[in-house]
C-alpha cells in the first residue's frame, strides 16, 4: 500500500480496475487517451454514473448534446435528431435531398404542396406556372389595378 505521493519513471500497468478518487492530470504537450483492444467488440465508453460528461465546452448527458447552461441543444434517438436551439447555417438547407431546399441566398424550393394557414405577404412578382384556383374574392387595392391578358394567340 502506498499512502503518500509516488513517482514512477516508466509505464504503470494495472491488470485490474483502477479507481481514481481525484482528477487525472496529464502534463504531456499533446496528451492522448488511447484504447487498444482489438478482440471481441472493441469500444471505448466514457460515462458519468450520476451526471454529465464535458469534453472541452461540449456537454454530453444521456442522448443529449449541449453546453453548460443549455445541455439539450441536440437530442439523439434512433433515426431522429431534435434541435431545440437556433439552427444557423451559411450554407444550403436540404430536406430529403430536394423536397424542401433553401439555398444560401434565401431562394426556397418546395417539391410537394405548400400549405399556408396564416396570412401570406408576397413582396414581389408572383409567377404561377399552372392554373390558379381562388376559393374567395380577389381584391385589387391599387387605384390603377388592372387584370391584363398578354397571350398573343387564342385557344
Amino acid at each position: 500500500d502506498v499512502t503518500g505521493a509516488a513517482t514512477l519513471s516508466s509505464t504503470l500497468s494495472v491488470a485490474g480496475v483502477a479507481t481514481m478518487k481525484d482528477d487525472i492530470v496529464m502534463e504531456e504537450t499533446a496528451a492522448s487517451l488511447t484504447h487498444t483492444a482489438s478482440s471481441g467488440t472493441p469500444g471505448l465508453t466514457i460515462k458519468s454514473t450520476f451526471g454529465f460528461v464535458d469534453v472541452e465546452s461540449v456537454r454530453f448527458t444521456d442522448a443529449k448534446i449541449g453546453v453548460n447552461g443549455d445541455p439539450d441543444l441536440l437530442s439523439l434517438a434512433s433515426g431522429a435528431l431534435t434541435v431545440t436551439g437556433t439552427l444557423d447555417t451559411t450554407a444550403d438547407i436540404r430536406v430529403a435531398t430536394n423536397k424542401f431546399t433553401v439555398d444560401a441566398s434565401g431562394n426556397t424550393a418546395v417539391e410537394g404542396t405548400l400549405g399556408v394557414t396564416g396570412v401570406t405577404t408576397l413582396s414581389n412578382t408572383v409567377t404561377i406556372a399552372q392554373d390558379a384556383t381562388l376559393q374567395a374574392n380577389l381584391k385589387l387595392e391599387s387605384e390603377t389595378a388592372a387584370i391584363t391578358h398578354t397571350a398573343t394567340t387564342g385557344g
Side-chain angles (χ1 to χ4, degrees):
D1 286 346
V2 177
T3 58
T7 301
L8 302 174
S9 59
S10 187
T11 302
L12 170 64
S13 178
V14 178
V17 174
T19 300
M20 307 296 170
K21 297 195 182 230
D22 206 332
D23 295 342
I24 296 174
V25 178
M26 296 188 264
E27 294 180 353
E28 180 74 31
T29 301
S32 66
L33 178 64
T34 306
H35 177 255
T36 60
S38 61
S39 62
T41 307
L44 173 66
T45 300
I46 300 173
K47 69 178 181 177
S48 173
T49 302
F50 301 109
F52 56 83
V53 174
D54 283 345
V55 178
E56 293 289 339
S57 60
V58 178
R59 176 159 293 178
F60 298 86
T61 308
D62 298 320
K64 295 178 175 70
I65 302 171
V67 294
N68 185 9
D70 201 353
D72 62 350
L73 291 169
L74 301 174
S75 295
L76 307 173
S78 181
L81 168 66
T82 302
V83 178
T84 57
T86 300
L87 176 62
D88 288 327
T89 181
T90 57
D92 298 349
I93 297 171
R94 293 188 318 241
V95 176
T97 305
N98 66 346
K99 302 304 177 201
F100 178 84
T101 60
V102 180
D103 70 20
S105 65
N107 295 322
T108 304
V110 179
E111 185 68 22
T113 299
L114 175 63
V116 179
T117 57
V119 174
T120 301
T121 301
L122 304 172
S123 300
N124 208 324
T125 303
V126 175
T127 301
I128 301 173
Q130 297 286 330
D131 293 342
T133 301
L134 302 177
Q135 295 180 348
N137 297 326
L138 173 62
K139 297 180 181 181
L140 304 174
E141 294 183 354
S142 170
E143 290 181 13
T144 58
I147 296 178
T148 306
H149 181 263
T150 60
T152 56
T153 61

